[in-house]
Amino acid sequence: MGRLRWWQHLVAAVGVQTPEMRRKAQHAARCAAGSAGEQRTHAMLQPLLREGWHVLPDRRVGRSANVDHVLVGPDGQVFTLDTKLWAARDEVGQPRVVRLVGGRLVHGDHDRDRQVDTALWETGEVSKALGVQVTPLIVVHNAPVDGAGFHVRGVAVFPADRLLELLRGNVGSADPCRAAMLARMAEIRLPSYAQ
């Protein structure tokens, strides 16, 4: 960031926002909401630690991207978890339901299908790093999800209150050695994004 120009100081002093300032403020708000959603999800996942799950938050994939959570189940299954904190209502109080429209992920009247592409890409990167099949999940906080969840192009999309139920319901026979090995591999090959 460079120094502010004289006109930027004047604009800020009178409370006017330029389009660039609005974009930056909106980006910062989205990042803060994303972080809050990830923290909520992380707190929800804590009981799984006592059940043989490995929970790896905020893992680096690619050059500069991150996966909110990589989960390794007690049976060695691997999941990527992308958290969304989306508004339950629009500006006039109408519900913003997460649903499928024409095969695309939609939140209220906003097309969110790019989130499916991102989840699939992240899952592919994790799969390459670990050499195993990985299941992509999108968990939604706040906004209601049509039908208590659905699949779009192989990605499960569901409300946060179903997270533990769905994860526990997909566990096979325990294989603690395989689970520990995959979790250790994930720690090494998918370092923390903060590092």
Side-chain angles (χ1 to χ4, degrees):
M1 283 189 201
R3 293 180 8 199
L4 291 177
R5 296 186 177 102
W6 68 268
W7 62 268
Q8 290 172 315
H9 287 286
L10 178 63
V11 166
V14 295
V16 176
Q17 284 193 336
T18 66
E20 179 184 356
M21 294 166 80
R22 273 192 298 281
R23 278 191 302 278
K24 286 181 179 180
Q26 289 168 346
H27 177 73
R30 283 192 305 272
C31 287
S35 178
E38 290 169 31
Q39 290 171 10
R40 282 188 196 179
T41 297
H42 192 70
M44 293 176 76
L45 293 169
Q46 294 312 295
L48 295 178
L49 295 173
R50 295 185 298 275
E51 300 171 21
W53 286 79
H54 299 267
V55 177
L56 295 94
D58 204 22
R59 308 318 285 190
R60 180 181 302 278
V61 290
R63 301 182 101 189
S64 61
N66 75 304
V67 177
D68 295 342
H69 286 90
V70 173
L71 307 176
V72 180
D75 58 353
Q77 283 188 77
V78 180
F79 301 85
T80 56
L81 189 55
D82 192 7
T83 297
K84 300 300 172 197
L85 180 62
W86 286 340
R89 300 195 172 278
D90 64 16
E91 298 77 22
V92 294
Q94 294 299 314
R96 276 192 179 165
V97 177
V98 177
R99 63 193 193 288
L100 276 177
V101 175
R104 297 180 68 81
L105 181 64
V106 175
H107 169 227
D109 58 357
H110 299 282
D111 186 300
R112 303 285 190 192
D113 207 60
R114 186 169 174 222
Q115 305 303 319
V116 177
D117 295 335
T118 299
L120 289 168
W121 178 81
E122 292 170 352
T123 299
E125 291 297 302
V126 172
S127 182
K128 282 191 279 187
L130 302 181
V132 297
Q133 182 178 339
V134 178
T135 303
L137 308 171
I138 295 177
V139 60
V140 180
H141 291 272
N142 292 355
V145 177
D146 194 34
F150 52 85
H151 284 82
V152 55
R153 298 196 322 269
V155 179
V157 179
F158 55 91
D161 63 358
R162 294 198 59 217
L163 176 60
L164 296 184
E165 164 198 344
L166 291 173
L167 289 171
R168 287 173 174 145
N170 279 294
V171 174
S173 299
D175 188 344
C177 291
R178 177 177 167 75
M181 182 267 302
L182 284 168
R184 182 67 184 133
M185 192 183 307
E187 287 175 353
I188 294 167
R189 296 182 181 176
L190 305 165
S192 173
Y193 189 70
Q195 293 177 347

